[in-house]
């Protein structure tokens, strides 16, 4: 069993630590030997220890709570946490759940026998909340944070704010999460893939550890469904936001707006609505649009119409982190922030008075039959619409304008469909089987997907050689165990293992690391930067393969930024060549991780031409991307995929004009049509080599 983490003020807490430690070890020893744990006796002993600890601790510090709705339920929440393993907390946006609950757990003494963990669905929200906690606590060193490739955990940290993916990675190495005494699963309503799996994982931890606490929070929690999953868990409602938010549905029949015409796009409607609001009574505004392209188009229209008093700022997932942080910096100008649903939850943009909601969202849906990831734009759920409206009214009365009718709102589903019911379950199934589950379809999930989705994932794992057959109860092959140890999509993991056999592991690892992060190349939308960026990126093009363009870009970066150079020099290089500094750093860090796992000696060096053998590199890529195989159709400007569907080449690909007979794609996505991205020319003989058993003759 893991030792307890180091505690602040060890001279104060010291006498209590051995007792808490003995209690935990005794419980784990009894459980391991199959004995029954005296739950009441154990809990009473722990509560007594915590009570004594809290009394001593209050002499040294006092937790302060701002005037927020959640603070009004302070005593009720602390009592519920002490007496129950699982607690559901439902409160309106702005009630203070994300920042005040960790402080209550700290005050209740839960950091005495483990970290207080706080999970967030998005990296930007995790960092924002950890910074806020540091500001509010007397001892900022008690708060740590961890996201992918970034960790700020001092030896005195008692609260850890992280993304849900980080906690899942820790669970793989510690099935009881001994490092934590309490987990706050924030924004549980989002029902992402990671959140649903964490619910199943944490349900098992609460059943095995009577000292462990799980708190689920959300502004729009589906409490009925969760009560079925966590029977007996108390629900605490902490009220609404501090300030009232008025909801209006925009009237497009108003005389002042008729000039738009009946066929105006929602982008034009959004720009018109924002202009009308800001001309009447200017104030900070947050607008929700479904796609990155919509945001850039709206930004262009607004910058032509609004005066210099306004600052129009985009906010979306692919935006460089330093550009995302601009929304938090007050410049003296009135901010108009155009965002995707990244700003829907957790992320609090200061000073927002208005919210304008298009009512639309781009949502990912996997089609198991065609093996294509769809990205349709759909109407958001009622829960999402309510979350969006809650972004106003945080510091003063707010106004939310919806660009759709009240009748439209009432016809929408109450909650967004959980991601696990609309995703490719291949990675989920692989990792559940790696945990030793012979029947992962029985893993506890709040809303389990249909069995057909699991069967499709099992078939895909069989195609990759991870399992021997399609029957439930089958175990992972040796290849499957190797695949499960790599922290990437299972297809990319297969690519790297095959590259090792082909003798091209390092160049393929460089490509795999690039495909695992956001594209480091920046494509400005306006001249003259657009032309300069195209010229700069054109130096790295390869006529036969978009994958090889990453090799050329990598060699350029290694030459221009040697290992002894500073990060500031890399930043200048990225600005000069239209590259995103944080994405380039993430690329380097991802490769370093691959090199540690695959025992590659050096993570940063030039790749010689003979080392990056075209055939060996692309045979390796084909081994993991068999589903993305495509053949040119006769007399048509289209390609036939291995699933039988029809796809079209992405305009940004280097192969768009040459159109080879056979190719593979790094990504297949369906927006309006099915588009193939990141392409390479291949030889059909390679297909038979890797997929002989899957071919029809």
């Amino acid at each position: 069993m893991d030792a307890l983490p180091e505690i602040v003020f060890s001279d104060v807490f010291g006498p209590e630590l051995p007792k808490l430690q003995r209690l935990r070890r005794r419980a784990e020893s009894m459980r391991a030997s199959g004995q029954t744990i005296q739950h009441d006796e154990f809990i009473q002993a722990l509560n007594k220890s915590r009570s004594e600890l809290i009394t001593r601790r209050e002499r040294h510090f006092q937790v302060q709570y701002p005037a927020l709705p959640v603070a009004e339920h302070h005593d009720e929440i602390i009592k519920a946490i002490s007496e129950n393993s699982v607690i559901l907390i439902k409160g309106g946006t702005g009630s203070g759940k994300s920042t005040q609950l960790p402080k209550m757990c700290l005050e209740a003494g839960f950091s005495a026998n483990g970290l207080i963990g706080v999970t967030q669905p998005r990296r930007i929200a995790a960092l924002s909340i950890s910074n806020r906690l540091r500001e509010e606590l007397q001892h900022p060193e008690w708060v740590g944070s961890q996201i992918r490739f970034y960790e700020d955990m001092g030896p005195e940290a008692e609260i850890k704010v992280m993304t849900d993916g980080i906690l899942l990675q820790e669970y793989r190495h510690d099935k009881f999460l001994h490092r934590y005494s309490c987990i706050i699963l924030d924004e549980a309503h989002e029902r992402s893939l990671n959140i649903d799996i964490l619910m199943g994982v944490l349900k098992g931890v609460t059943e095995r550890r009577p000292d462990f606490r799980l708190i689920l929070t959300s502004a729009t929690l589906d409490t009925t469904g969760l009560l079925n999953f966590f029977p007996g868990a108390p629900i605490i409602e902490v009220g609404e936001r501090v300030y009232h938010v008025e909801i209006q549905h925009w009237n497009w029949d108003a005389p002042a707006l008729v000039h738009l015409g009946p066929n105006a796009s929602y982008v034009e409607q959004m720009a018109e609505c924002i202009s009308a609001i800001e001309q009447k009574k200017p104030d900070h505004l947050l607008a929700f649009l479904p796609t990155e392209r919509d945001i850039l188009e709206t930004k262009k229209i607004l910058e032509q119409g609004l005066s210099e008093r306004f600052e129009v700022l985009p906010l979306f997932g692919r935006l460089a982190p330093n550009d995302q942080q601009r929304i938090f910096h007050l410049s003296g100008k009135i901010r108009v922030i155009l965002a995707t649903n990244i700003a829907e939850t957790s992320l609090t943009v200061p000073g927002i008075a208005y919210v304008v909601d298009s009512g639309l969202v781009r949502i990912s849906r996997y089609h198991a039959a065609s093996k294509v990831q769809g990205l349709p734009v759909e109407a958001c759920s009622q829960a999402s619409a309510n979350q969006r409206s809650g972004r106003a009214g945080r510091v003063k009365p707010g106004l939310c304008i919806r660009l759709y009718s009240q009748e439209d709102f009432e016809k929408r589903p109450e909650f967004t469909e959980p991601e696990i019911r609309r995703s490719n379950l291949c990675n989920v199934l692989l990792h559940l089987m790696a945990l030793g589950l012979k029947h992962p379809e029985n893993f506890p999930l709040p809303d389990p997907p249909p069995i057909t989705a699991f069967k499709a994932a099992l078939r895909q794992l069989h195609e990759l050689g991870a399992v021997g057959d399609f029957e439930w109860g089958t175990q992972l092959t040796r290849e499957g165990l190797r695949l499960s140890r790599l922290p990437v999509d299972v297809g990319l993991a297969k690519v790297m293992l095959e590259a090792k056999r082909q003798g091209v592991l390092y160049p393929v690892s460089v490509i795999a690391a690039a495909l695992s992060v956001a594209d480091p190349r920046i494509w400005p939308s306006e001249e003259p930067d657009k032309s300069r960026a195209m010229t700069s990126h054109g130096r790295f093009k390869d006529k036969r393969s978009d994958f090889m363009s990453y090799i050329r870009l990598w060699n350029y970066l290694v030459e221009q930024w040697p290992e002894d150079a500073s990060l500031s020099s890399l930043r200048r290089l990225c600005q000069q060549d239209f590259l995103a500094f944080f994405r380039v750093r993430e690329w380097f860090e991802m490769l370093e991780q691959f090199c540690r796992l695959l025992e590659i000696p050096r993570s940063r060096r030039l790749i010689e031409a003979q080392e990056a053998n075209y055939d060996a590199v692309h045979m390796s890529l084909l081994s993991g991307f068999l589903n993305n195989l495509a053949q040119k159709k006769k007399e048509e400007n289209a390609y036939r995929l291995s699933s039988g569907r029809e796809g079209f080449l992405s305009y940004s690909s280097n192969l768009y004009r040459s159109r080879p007979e056979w190719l593979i794609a790094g990504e297949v996505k369906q927006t309006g049509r099915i588009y193939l991205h990141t392409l390479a020319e291949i030889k059909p003989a390679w297909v038979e080599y890797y997929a002989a058993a899957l071919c029809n003759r």
Side-chain angles (χ1 to χ4, degrees):
M1 176 173 170
D2 295 343
L4 288 169
E6 183 179 346
I7 303 296
V8 187
F9 298 142
S10 58
D11 56 327
V12 178
F13 302 156
E16 202 63 37
L17 293 183
K19 185 175 180 180
L20 291 171
Q21 196 171 30
R22 285 197 305 273
L23 284 168
R24 288 177 61 196
R25 286 177 174 164
R26 177 186 164 202
E28 294 302 331
S29 175
M30 291 174 69
R31 184 178 296 109
S33 60
Q35 299 180 52
T36 302
I37 300 174
Q38 298 298 320
H39 182 271
D40 293 340
E41 177 188 344
F42 184 72
I43 292 298
Q44 287 172 8
L46 271 183
N47 286 341
K48 182 181 178 182
S49 298
R50 288 199 187 98
S51 177
E52 295 171 359
L53 181 145
I54 293 167
T55 301
R56 289 198 301 277
R57 189 176 207 182
E58 284 179 343
R59 300 172 191 163
H60 293 264
F61 85 102
Q62 183 68 40
V63 178
Q64 301 293 328
Y65 297 94
L68 292 167
V70 72
E72 298 173 6
H73 298 261
H74 170 273
D75 295 342
E76 180 186 4
I77 291 172
I78 288 186
K79 184 174 185 292
I81 296 172
S82 300
E83 297 176 353
N84 300 275
S85 295
V86 183
I87 306 98
L88 309 179
I89 296 183
K90 183 177 181 180
T93 301
S95 59
K97 305 179 302 299
S98 299
T99 53
Q100 305 312 306
L101 287 174
K103 292 160 62 177
M104 292 181 188
C105 293
L106 186 70
E107 181 184 351
F110 277 92
S111 63
N113 63 330
L115 286 170
I116 297 165
V118 184
T119 71
Q120 291 293 329
R122 295 180 177 86
R123 292 183 291 178
I124 188 172
L127 295 179
S128 173
I129 287 169
S130 62
N131 289 336
R132 183 66 181 171
L133 282 168
R134 289 187 183 101
E135 292 173 5
E136 293 188 7
L137 284 171
Q138 296 177 7
H139 300 274
E141 68 275 9
W142 290 355
V143 182
S145 57
Q146 185 178 0
I147 61 175
R148 191 180 188 185
F149 302 128
Y150 174 82
E151 183 175 359
D152 183 11
M153 289 290 297
E156 297 186 340
E158 300 189 30
I159 298 173
K160 179 178 179 179
V161 188
M162 60 197 142
T163 53
D164 39 34
I166 294 294
L167 185 59
L168 272 178
Q169 286 294 324
E170 293 191 29
Y171 174 75
R172 292 196 64 185
H173 305 291
D174 179 7
K175 303 300 183 294
F176 292 94
L177 294 176
H178 288 130
R179 193 182 180 196
Y180 298 92
S181 65
C182 175
I183 292 292
I184 301 172
L185 196 63
D186 203 9
E187 305 302 344
H189 77 279
E190 286 210 8
R191 300 300 301 278
S192 68
L193 206 58
N194 282 347
I195 286 176
D196 270 25
I197 296 172
L198 273 177
M199 284 190 192
V201 161
L202 294 171
K203 180 182 175 73
V205 174
T206 58
E207 292 170 351
R208 292 171 174 83
R209 281 184 55 191
D211 63 319
F212 183 79
R213 295 294 182 268
L214 172 61
I215 304 171
L216 297 100
T217 79
S218 174
T220 55
L221 204 61
D222 180 8
T223 50
T224 304
L226 289 179
L227 275 177
N228 293 331
F229 193 65
F230 295 107
I235 302 173
I236 299 176
E237 297 201 18
V238 296
E240 294 298 323
R241 62 190 66 81
V242 180
Y243 296 97
H244 173 69
V245 176
E246 180 185 355
I247 306 292
Q248 292 183 8
H249 295 268
W250 197 248
N251 180 15
W252 291 108
D253 296 326
L257 302 171
V258 170
H259 69 275
L260 276 178
N263 298 320
S265 68
Y266 60 82
V267 168
E268 294 172 317
Q269 293 176 4
M270 174 66 77
E272 183 71 22
C273 180
I274 292 173
S275 298
I277 294 170
E278 296 294 10
Q279 287 172 10
K280 185 176 180 180
K281 190 177 180 182
D283 209 333
H284 301 300
L285 182 148
L286 173 62
F288 287 95
L289 287 150
T291 71
E292 179 182 329
R293 176 180 290 183
D294 295 334
I295 287 173
L296 296 177
E297 288 181 7
T298 307
K299 179 176 182 288
K300 186 174 182 180
I301 296 171
L302 289 174
E303 287 180 336
Q304 293 171 351
L306 295 177
S307 68
E308 294 182 356
R309 292 178 59 198
F310 296 88
E311 183 178 27
V312 184
L313 300 172
L315 180 64
F316 46 84
R318 289 201 325 131
L319 198 66
N322 56 330
D323 291 328
Q324 290 180 345
Q325 292 295 324
R326 288 181 62 195
I327 66 170
F328 299 111
H329 302 149
L330 300 178
S331 62
K333 294 184 177 182
I334 297 171
R335 290 167 301 147
V336 175
I337 299 167
L338 309 175
T340 59
N341 61 339
I342 189 175
E344 193 174 294
T345 58
S346 288
L347 190 64
T348 299
V349 183
I352 295 298
Y354 304 121
V355 166
V356 183
D357 181 13
S358 67
L360 300 171
V361 62
R362 170 154 277 175
I363 194 163
S364 176
R365 292 190 181 278
Y366 180 72
H367 306 286
S370 60
K371 301 176 182 177
V372 172
Q373 192 75 39
L375 291 168
V377 173
E378 302 178 358
C380 68
S381 66
Q382 293 182 18
S384 290
N386 292 332
Q387 280 286 94
R388 293 177 177 189
S389 64
R391 298 295 100 187
R394 303 301 290 268
V395 294
K396 54 187 172 183
L399 170 65
C400 172
I401 295 181
R402 293 172 175 165
L403 304 185
Y404 48 97
S405 66
Q406 177 69 30
E407 293 77 13
D408 185 354
F409 172 80
E410 292 172 355
K411 291 177 183 176
R412 298 180 177 209
E414 187 177 359
F415 298 98
T416 305
E417 185 180 19
E419 186 182 2
I420 200 162
R421 296 185 63 87
R422 49 185 171 82
S423 297
N424 183 359
L425 300 181
C426 195
N427 286 328
V428 174
L429 188 60
L430 175 69
H431 292 297
L432 290 179
M433 294 178 74
L435 293 174
L437 298 174
K438 291 187 177 181
H439 292 274
E441 75 279 12
N442 297 328
F443 180 77
L445 292 168
D447 289 285
I451 193 65
T452 53
F454 272 116
K455 287 182 177 179
L458 189 63
R459 180 173 292 273
Q460 189 174 346
L461 288 178
H462 173 69
E463 292 173 359
L464 294 170
V467 294
D469 55 51
F470 305 133
E471 298 300 322
W472 293 121
T474 184
Q475 293 185 337
L476 291 179
T477 62
R478 188 174 296 177
E479 183 82 346
L481 289 171
R482 294 193 190 103
L483 293 173
S484 69
R485 295 188 185 110
L486 292 173
V488 289
D489 177 80
V490 61
L492 277 179
K494 176 69 174 181
V495 165
M496 286 190 283
L497 293 184
E498 180 60 26
K500 188 172 185 178
R501 289 187 279 265
Q502 292 283 348
V504 287
L505 179 56
Y506 184 69
V508 168
S509 295
V510 169
I511 294 171
L515 296 176
S516 301
V517 302
D519 192 334
R521 294 166 292 189
I522 296 174
W523 304 94
S525 57
E526 299 177 6
E527 299 289 353
D529 286 344
K530 184 176 180 179
S531 298
R532 290 170 52 205
M534 291 180 66
T535 302
S536 178
H537 298 158
R539 294 173 294 169
F540 313 118
K541 283 187 175 181
D542 186 285
K543 293 181 180 179
R544 297 176 62 195
S545 170
D546 294 332
F547 298 99
M548 298 302 287
S549 297
Y550 286 120
I551 297 290
R552 293 186 176 191
L553 175 57
W554 173 264
N555 280 342
Y556 173 77
L557 290 170
V558 171
E559 286 179 335
Q560 299 297 318
W561 189 56
E563 292 192 58
D564 57 349
S566 65
L567 281 176
S568 59
S569 63
L570 176 61
R571 191 185 297 272
R572 289 192 297 270
L573 178 66
C574 291
Q575 290 174 346
Q576 167 192 311
D577 292 303
F578 294 92
L579 301 171
F581 168 72
F582 284 98
R583 294 179 198 167
V584 170
R585 275 192 64 186
E586 195 172 6
W587 184 8
F588 277 89
E589 288 165 349
M590 177 63 85
L591 182 63
E592 286 178 6
Q593 187 176 9
F594 289 167
C595 289
R596 287 195 300 270
L597 292 170
L598 297 167
E599 299 179 347
I600 302 173
R602 287 184 61 194
S603 65
R604 193 193 304 181
R605 61 176 176 81
L606 286 173
I607 300 172
E608 302 296 337
Q610 63 271 20
E611 184 180 5
N613 178 275
Y614 187 94
D615 286 9
V617 166
H618 290 84
M619 286 177 72
S620 302
L621 290 166
L622 177 62
S623 70
F625 295 151
L626 284 170
N627 290 331
N628 299 354
L629 175 68
Q631 182 186 16
K632 189 176 180 182
K633 297 182 72 173
K634 295 180 180 179
E635 301 176 357
E636 290 186 47
N637 187 22
Y639 279 76
R640 184 165 62 93
L641 297 168
S642 56
S643 63
R645 297 288 297 276
E646 185 177 75
F648 298 85
L649 304 191
S650 168
Y651 301 112
S652 61
S653 172
N654 303 335
L655 281 70
Y656 180 73
R657 296 187 182 278
S658 61
R659 301 181 183 276
E661 176 74 13
W662 290 85
L663 56 80
I664 53 167
E667 190 175 42
V668 178
K669 284 186 177 180
Q670 183 172 3
T671 47
R673 300 193 293 184
I674 295 176
Y675 285 99
L676 315 181
H677 303 267
T678 315
L679 312 174
E681 181 181 354
I682 64 164
K683 298 175 183 177
W686 301 345
V687 180
E688 188 173 4
Y689 177 79
Y690 286 110
L694 307 174
C695 293
N696 294 324
R697 291 172 175 79

